Amino acid sequence: KNGLGGVLSSVNRVSLGEFYFLLGLPALFTLSQGGALYGTALAILTFADAAAALVGTFHGKHRFGDYPDAKSLEGTLTFFAVSFVICLTGLSVNGLGPLEATLAALTVSVMMALLEAVARDGLDNLLLPVCAYLLLRALSGLDAGALGVAFLTALVIVIGVAPWNELRRGWSHETR
């Protein structure tokens, strides 16, 4: 519990994340048929979610509420940054041009960061890989103009959701 096992056993809340993870991986594999974007969607869950959890746990000062598993702005921004690098790499390797890959990666990263921020009780372990794959697949065939519209739409959604959360609950500032 004090070493590496603490990552799993030190959670002081009810979480079904382990079970959702076991549902999310076969669902992702079934949807993707093990295709090229499978690894990108899986890497988002594996690396971006883990990085967000670490940063949020140790450096998260601006929480999205005062409930036990409230996510933090710092963790969400970390998720976005790691997810963007993963998506950009995966989409570039899969043949998208630089502009298209960048716009698609920004769109996926924004939407998945929002999803990760609002998912509770470990549900992100099911939703992130499945939704990331579906979004990656949908955006992969679009041209730069359509991808630009998709990215602007994602920003409008985030801008529309963020103030409501702050107004409804207020920021919970953690002090150490």
Side-chain angles (χ1 to χ4, degrees):
K1 210 169 188 181
N2 293 330
L4 291 176
V7 172
L8 291 176
S9 61
S10 67
V11 176
N12 295 324
R13 58 183 160 76
V14 174
S15 174
L16 299 173
E18 297 85 4
F19 300 106
Y20 290 133
F21 182 80
L22 293 174
L23 294 172
L25 290 185
L28 171 62
F29 188 80
T30 301
L31 282 171
S32 69
Q33 300 293 312
L37 295 175
Y38 168 82
T40 303
L42 184 57
I44 291 170
L45 174 64
T46 304
F47 299 110
D49 194 40
L54 288 171
V55 169
T57 299
F58 295 109
H59 302 290
K61 302 291 183 199
H62 300 90
R63 302 256 172 217
F64 301 127
D66 57 0
Y67 49 91
D69 63 343
K71 308 288 178 78
S72 71
L73 177 62
E74 295 83 358
T76 299
L77 292 174
T78 300
F79 184 97
F80 169 79
V82 173
S83 178
F84 175 73
V85 170
I86 290 167
C87 289
L88 185 61
T89 303
L91 291 167
S92 296
V93 167
N94 286 312
L96 261 67
L99 178 59
E100 291 81 5
T102 301
L103 290 169
L106 284 168
T107 304
V108 172
S109 299
V110 164
M111 293 308 296
M112 292 306 99
L114 177 62
L115 179 61
E116 196 277 335
V118 300
R120 294 184 62 184
D121 302 324
L123 191 57
D124 55 339
N125 287 345
L126 170 62
L127 296 177
L128 283 174
V130 171
C131 293
Y133 171 75
L134 292 172
L135 196 52
L136 285 162
R137 186 179 74 187
L139 296 175
S140 291
L142 300 180
D143 64 15
L147 288 167
V149 170
F151 175 59
L152 291 175
T153 302
L155 285 180
V156 167
I157 291 169
V158 169
I159 291 167
V161 169
W164 287 110
N165 185 57
E166 186 176 346
L167 289 173
R168 189 166 55 93
R169 285 187 278 225
W171 287 104
S172 173
H173 296 283
E174 179 184 328
T175 58
R176 290 190 187 230

